[in-house]
Amino acid sequence: MDNVNLTIDGQVVEVPVGSTILEAAQLLGIDIPTLCYHPDQSIKAVCRVCVVEVEGQRVLQPACAYPVAEGMQVRTNTARVREARKTIIELMLAHHPQDCLQCERNLNCELQALAHRLGVREVSFPYVERQLPLDELSPSVIRDPNKCINCRRCVSVCHDIQGVGILDSVNRGFDTVVSAPFWRSLIELSCVNCGQCILVCPVGAIKEKDDTEIVWAALADPTKHVVVQTAPAIRVSIGEELDLPPGTRVTKKLTTALRRLGFDRVFDTDFSADLTILEEGSELLERLSAGGILPMITSCSPGWIKFIEHYYPDLLGHLSTCKSPQQMFGALTKTYYAEKAGIDPEDIVMVSIMPCTAKKFEANRPEMTDSGFVDVDVVLTTRELGRMLREAGIDFAELPEEEYDAPLGISTGAGAIFGASGGVMEAALRTVYELVTGTELENLDFEDVRGLEGIKSAVVKLPLKEAAAAQEVAADNPQTLEVKVAVAHSLKHARVLLEQIRSGEADFQFLEVMCCPGGCIGGGGQPIPTTNGERMERIVAIYEEDKGMPLRKSHDNPAVQTLYEEFLGKPLGEKSHKLLHTHYQAREKF
Amino acid sequence: MAIAKEQLDSAEKRVLQIVSRYGANEEHLLQILHDVQADDNSLSEAELIQVARAMDIPLSRVYGVATFYSMYSVRPRGKFIIRICESAPCHITGAQSVIRAFEQALGIKMGETTKDRKFTLEYTSCLGVCGVAPAVMINDRVYGNLTPDKVQEVLSACEND
Ligand code: SF4
Ligand code: SF4
Ligand code: SF4
Ligand code: FES
């Protein structure tokens, strides 16, 4: 017997064995309130706001954890249940700052919404102010533990999805709160700045460091030339932040909106994503032919970079030396673009719009100043840009459509798919294939590396241009070069492959790692909520974006070709090395 | 992180020894923390970092455990931990005046540690010696039938221990 029948509030429902009451109720359209429950996490059952009456059970039971059984009778809407839920919310409010009007999460807060929905009009317990210290030192993620409701969702994502484990419950009894060891700041620990804890926090206890004021000031300063770049993932998510359905593509409205905010040039990180492919693809081929360190691992994701620096410093040699597209973009803006436009780099303010909180830390790294100027001056997340657009009163949905500015706004579909897990790999394969074989790739879609599966892999056979070249790279089979690739997203999955590299079992030459689940479209700077449901919608949108582009291979990008002709010379050339490549440092683990 | 390398290094050897005695398995964490704490009645940041590294578990988990159980302290404590029973029998037989006498004699409040890290004052739940209430336990030894006058005597006994 695979299904069971149970009755919830008088309605009979049939669900698979092993379902919970919460899931069964959802099928009936009964929305049981939850707080610690998260659709992408294991069941914690700590908040108890989901309690229901189960016939035969003396005490109320948590619907999120309670398994269904044949003939079970459940009531979700009795006076006793309503009273219990309310008491639980009131107990939380009894030490929760009554701060909604000033809070980032106002109108997008699960506690606030539940208090409203459950009709909490007064709190029957005395208010106790907790006076816990704020942690505002990190350039990426800041915390106000006074607002924490101990749901443990951030603990779950930090330990179980990211395999990092910075936050956990401390103390006991009334003093229990989720925090960092010894009340250290995240900046002092081996936090990777991924911001996944922000995405799952139901309240305003964790948030990004808000840098919008710096951008407003730059836009208002007539002596500044303010240039903006937009990451691939923004075009499929900023609409969502502004109340459009998840996965709405708004590329050409985004450009209009940025111009209306007052940016002097609206450029595209997709451009430097294409450039990254030429540099990184060349680096891979060089390592393959010259016996360099393999597998080579991608380096675009700054949360991932900080992770490997703290947790696998012995493997730093495997990282591509390429800077991330954001940083390459900044370095070129302050050199190539400044020169072309005849503007003193000193007067340029480079702002980037990123789906990512770790990008804020990356932009602050002291080594990201090779041109003599800071590559990127300010990083805003998708949420912060949404905040600015709302404040400016820009009616996003009604905007006319405009193009990016040339030349650094010109890009291909390969640049766009950087926004999804597997995209960098796919873009690289499209280019490496044609560089190695000298023939046109017929099917551009590498389906094996797409989607939300944690670890993906593919084998690509490259028929070689000349047998002679082959002697160097694949002695056993001079006619083809076989490249085995792997893709991991979320650091827990990355760990699996890193352990294989450490033990020598890794059976691949090229590895793409993205720190966040789903890649950048699921980054810690994205609209809240971001669950795997929203991630899937955005992934679909980003591959549609790719399909809709006239050019879909990075090496076909005419602006990148011109950049090499006019400025860089060739991939991995002297200028590239100075401006576009970087180095890494081992960091301690705390 | 703002923690001195010397502190980390000096904790390392002792912690490694203790961990290797039990094995780096999370199920032994409570016992390991107990032994690490034995030298000075408290768990320092450096010690917990080394425990986390030696056992390959997140520092946050180790710290969470260390702050959850009342037998551990992450704040420095004295060589002698004076645990004063606050249950009803001790209360009615005058524990309050005994507490005040300890606080006065040591110049600290309940929950604090003397500057020389000799004495810490803590509350405890019932010691199970209600027949001789009010009672305190100092490290492993119980002192019963206390009055404020006897406090100095008890403290001297510790000093001469
Ligand atoms: S976290 Fe939610 S309930 Fe708390 S102050 Fe912010 S909006 Fe209000
Ligand atoms: S930013 Fe990432 S690593 Fe840091 S505490 Fe949050 S989830 Fe953990
Ligand atoms: S910080 Fe947020 S996610 Fe973490 S336990 Fe507190 S309320 Fe939950
Ligand atoms: S949602 Fe069920 S216990 Fe928290």
Side-chain angles (χ1 to χ4, degrees):
Chain A
M1 192 179 68
D2 291 326
N3 283 343
V4 296
N5 293 286
L6 70 159
T7 309
I8 306 180
D9 298 340
Q11 301 183 68
V12 179
V13 61
E14 187 180 341
V15 289
V17 178
S19 307
T20 61
I21 293 177
L22 181 69
E23 289 160 345
Q26 275 162 358
L27 287 181
L28 289 172
I30 299 170
D31 183 13
I32 298 175
T34 57
L35 270 175
C36 68
Y37 171 82
H38 188 283
D40 306 332
Q41 299 183 353
S42 55
I43 299 298
K44 295 169 277 302
V46 291
C47 77
R48 307 202 73 85
V49 82
C50 66
V51 287
V52 294
E53 278 182 38
V54 179
E55 203 166 276
Q57 295 292 323
R58 203 173 40 81
V59 292
L60 299 177
Q61 299 294 336
C64 70
Y66 205 85
V68 295
E70 184 63 36
M72 181 183 270
Q73 295 275 348
V74 179
R75 272 172 293 275
T76 75
N77 186 25
T78 63
R80 187 174 164 219
V81 167
R82 288 196 303 271
E83 205 45 48
R85 288 172 181 166
K86 243 188 226 179
T87 305
I88 285 159
I89 298 293
E90 284 181 44
L91 280 169
M92 289 177 184
L93 294 180
H95 57 215
H96 191 90
Q98 309 286 300
D99 206 18
C100 295
L101 282 180
Q102 286 93 276
C103 184
E104 279 85 348
R105 293 295 293 271
N106 191 20
L107 304 179
N108 188 14
C109 169
E110 294 182 38
L111 177 62
Q112 186 190 54
L114 270 191
H116 180 63
R117 174 183 153 192
L118 301 181
V120 176
R121 291 291 167 264
E122 59 185 348
V123 176
S124 11
F125 308 96
Y127 177 65
V128 183
E129 194 183 342
R130 287 194 283 185
Q131 296 189 310
L132 300 169
L134 308 185
D135 172 11
E136 303 182 306
L137 296 182
S138 159
S140 297
V141 180
I142 63 179
R143 297 190 316 113
D144 179 357
N146 295 294
K147 289 187 180 165
C148 174
I149 57 165
N150 289 334
C151 71
R152 296 181 59 83
R153 277 156 50 162
C154 60
V155 178
S156 175
V157 84
C158 191
H159 288 254
D160 305 338
I161 311 265
Q162 294 300 51
V164 174
I166 297 298
L167 301 168
D168 210 334
S169 291
V170 307
N171 300 335
R172 80 190 94 93
F174 177 81
D175 293 327
T176 307
V177 66
V178 167
S179 192
F182 288 92
W183 296 89
R184 289 284 185 179
S185 166
L186 295 181
I187 193 78
E188 300 178 283
L189 300 161
S190 16
C191 163
V192 304
N193 305 309
C194 68
Q196 289 300 314
C197 49
I198 302 176
L199 292 182
V200 299
C201 183
V203 294
I206 319 182
K207 51 205 171 190
E208 69 285 342
K209 160 114 183 318
D210 187 302
D211 291 313
T212 53
E213 280 309 323
I214 309 172
V215 177
W216 285 123
L219 291 171
D221 184 344
T223 67
K224 294 295 179 199
H225 182 77
V226 192
V227 176
V228 66
Q229 56 166 315
T230 62
I234 308 301
R235 66 210 71 207
V236 298
S237 58
I238 183 66
E240 202 173 321
E241 178 65 26
L242 299 165
D243 301 328
L244 297 172
T248 309
R249 290 163 54 198
V250 293
T251 317
K252 292 180 177 175
K253 286 183 192 295
L254 172 60
T255 48
T256 314
L258 290 167
R259 278 193 193 103
R260 294 206 178 170
L261 276 181
F263 286 101
D264 295 298
R265 284 292 178 280
V266 180
F267 288 148
D268 198 353
T269 317
D270 288 18
F271 166 85
S272 51
D274 282 334
L275 179 63
T276 301
I277 288 302
L278 288 172
E279 292 289 328
E280 201 166 273
S282 308
E283 189 183 356
L284 176 68
L285 291 175
E286 191 180 276
R287 288 198 195 198
L288 283 169
S289 63
I293 299 179
L294 292 171
M296 185 176 93
I297 318 179
T298 60
S299 55
C300 330
S301 168
W304 148 243
I305 295 299
K306 189 141 184 285
F307 176 79
I308 185 172
E309 287 180 330
H310 281 295
Y311 295 87
Y312 292 84
D314 50 313
L315 302 183
L316 285 174
H318 289 266
L319 284 177
S320 159
T321 60
C322 286
K323 283 184 182 175
S324 73
Q326 156 172 286
Q327 298 303 131
M328 286 196 186
F329 199 99
L332 288 175
T333 299
K334 302 270 174 103
T335 53
Y336 176 65
Y337 169 73
E339 211 175 292
K340 253 180 123 72
I343 300 170
D344 184 349
E346 192 83 62
D347 296 331
I348 297 181
V349 179
M350 171 84 255
V351 177
S352 58
I353 314 294
M354 294 284 140
C356 177
T357 46
K359 287 277 170 201
K360 289 175 184 268
F361 176 86
E362 180 185 46
N364 271 300
R365 292 173 78 116
E367 66 272 24
M368 296 292 173
T369 51
D370 295 313
S371 67
F373 300 91
V374 176
D375 290 349
V376 174
D377 295 286
V378 199
V379 178
L380 297 182
T381 60
T382 318
R383 294 190 293 271
E384 288 165 277
L385 177 62
R387 227 167 270 158
M388 290 182 75
L389 292 172
R390 276 192 295 270
E391 197 171 344
I394 292 173
D395 184 355
F396 198 78
E398 296 306 318
L399 287 177
E401 304 203 327
E402 292 177 9
E403 300 292 333
Y404 280 100
D405 288 314
L408 306 190
I410 295 170
S411 68
T412 72
I417 57 176
F418 264 59
S421 160
V424 177
M425 181 57 70
E426 181 166 345
L429 292 177
R430 290 179 191 175
T431 287
V432 166
Y433 184 94
E434 297 200 353
L435 290 186
V436 171
T437 65
T439 55
E440 199 170 325
L441 181 62
E442 271 166 36
N443 181 9
L444 291 185
D445 300 334
F446 290 82
E447 299 283 350
D448 287 351
V449 296
R450 297 182 179 184
L452 276 182
E453 181 119 15
I455 296 174
K456 298 168 277 190
S457 59
V459 182
V460 189
K461 291 201 164 67
L462 310 173
L464 287 180
K465 247 188 276 190
E466 303 152 28
Q471 301 291 346
E472 302 172 41
V473 289
D476 51 337
N477 183 355
Q479 295 316 312
T480 53
L481 171 60
E482 196 179 80
V483 183
K484 289 187 178 166
V485 303
V487 171
H489 57 112
S490 89
L491 297 172
K492 190 83 173 200
H493 291 126
R495 265 185 191 274
V496 174
L497 298 180
L498 292 172
E499 290 297 336
Q500 290 181 8
I501 296 177
R502 250 190 196 163
S503 67
E505 292 160 55
D507 183 26
F508 48 85
Q509 288 94 44
F510 190 25
L511 167 62
E512 175 202 295
V513 177
M514 290 294 155
C515 171
C516 290
C520 309
I521 51 89
Q526 289 286 59
I528 296 172
T530 289
T531 68
N532 285 344
E534 284 85 19
R535 287 187 172 96
M536 252 346 277
E537 306 280 351
R538 297 176 198 153
I539 288 174
V540 169
I542 219 139
Y543 287 107
E544 280 170 6
E545 192 77 15
D546 169 34
K547 272 242 152 71
M549 296 290 281
L551 298 173
R552 296 181 62 202
K553 291 173 283 193
S554 297
H555 53 284
D556 289 346
N557 183 329
V560 170
Q561 290 167 353
T562 311
L563 170 69
Y564 277 111
E565 280 157 27
E566 291 182 354
F567 187 70
L568 289 175
K570 59 175 196 323
L572 307 183
E574 198 189 319
K575 268 220 176 92
S576 291
H577 264 297
K578 178 163 174 334
L579 293 173
L580 310 182
H581 290 255
T582 186
H583 55 271
Y584 309 101
Q585 67 184 89
R587 295 173 194 263
E588 274 199 279
K589 184 165 92 179
F590 291 113
Chain B
M1 180 150 142
I3 176 163
K5 197 175 171 321
E6 304 84 71
Q7 279 172 288
L8 279 176
D9 291 347
S10 79
E12 187 175 14
K13 200 163 145 231
R14 230 188 104 242
V15 167
L16 280 178
Q17 265 169 8
I18 294 170
V19 170
S20 64
R21 209 179 307 146
Y22 295 96
N25 192 321
E26 208 167 331
E27 71 190 48
H28 302 307
L29 181 58
L30 294 185
Q31 195 57 46
I32 287 170
L33 289 181
H34 176 270
D35 288 12
V36 171
Q37 182 171 262
D39 61 338
D40 62 354
N41 282 322
S42 70
L43 293 163
S44 71
E45 188 168 20
E47 285 171 336
L48 292 191
I49 289 169
Q50 296 299 5
V51 169
R53 289 184 185 168
M55 301 183 71
D56 198 20
I57 47 182
L59 177 60
S60 63
R61 206 118 282 171
V62 179
Y63 181 79
V65 169
T67 55
F68 181 81
Y69 292 99
S70 60
M71 58 198 172
Y72 306 121
S73 173
V74 294
R75 280 191 299 172
R77 286 197 292 189
K79 183 165 168 229
F80 298 99
I81 299 174
I82 305 174
R83 296 188 170 89
I84 309 181
C85 176
E86 55 176 343
S87 59
C90 283
H91 190 79
I92 24 182
T93 50
Q96 275 312 313
S97 58
V98 172
I99 287 172
R100 244 170 285 126
F102 272 113
E103 287 182 335
Q104 261 169 24
L106 297 171
I108 56 171
K109 296 257 165 253
M110 288 301 290
E112 293 178 352
T113 298
T114 55
K115 275 218 179 65
D116 59 5
R117 289 201 62 181
K118 221 168 221 158
F119 295 102
T120 298
L121 288 175
E122 283 182 0
Y123 286 110
T124 173
S125 47
C126 183
L127 293 169
V129 290
C130 308
V132 295
V136 309
M137 185 162 150
I138 302 182
N139 292 358
D140 295 332
R141 221 154 117 196
V142 174
Y143 298 81
N145 291 324
L146 282 182
T147 61
D149 308 341
K150 291 191 189 159
V151 159
Q152 200 51 57
E153 198 183 309
V154 169
L155 291 176
S156 315
C158 294
E159 302 264 21
N160 303 328
D161 213 9

